[in-house]
Amino acid sequence: GIIMRTLSESEILSLRELLQMETNALAKIKAAQVAVTDDDLKRTVESAILAGEKRIKGIQQFVSENHVLTMEEVH
């Protein structure tokens, strides 16, 4: 059967905050990217974007693989 991982409310909140933070940071760096003309800086920004996307995917994968539920959803 599917193993559900039950997280506390504070853990769920941390997970949401982390995802929100990563998503906001990614949006800001992507918006700033258009103004970057220096080649070295452009590469740095591009790698930061890729790293951010990877972290977001990792968080989403954690949620998906662990079938994360809040305590409320269990009862």
Side-chain angles (χ1 to χ4, degrees), residues 18-19 23-24 34-35 49 62 64 66:
L18 184 59
L19 190 56
T23 306
N24 290 344
V34 295
I49 288 171
F62 174 85
S64 172
N66 291 287

Side-chain angles (χ1 to χ4, degrees), residues 13-69:
L13 188 61
S14 293
L15 198 56
R16 284 198 188 124
E17 287 289 324
L18 184 59
L19 190 56
Q20 192 66 60
M21 184 186 75
E22 290 289 356
T23 306
N24 290 344
L26 188 61
K28 283 180 185 174
I29 195 98
K30 279 183 171 179
Q33 184 184 27
V34 295
V36 177
T37 55
D38 182 85
D39 285 342
D40 288 339
L41 184 55
K42 200 174 268 196
R43 277 193 291 276
T44 301
V45 169
E46 282 166 5
S47 69
I49 288 171
L50 289 173
E53 288 173 342
K54 192 174 178 182
R55 285 193 300 272
I56 289 168
K57 279 199 184 93
I59 297 166
Q60 290 169 335
Q61 194 174 348
F62 174 85
V63 170
S64 172
E65 285 178 0
N66 291 287
H67 305 281
V68 172
L69 297 173

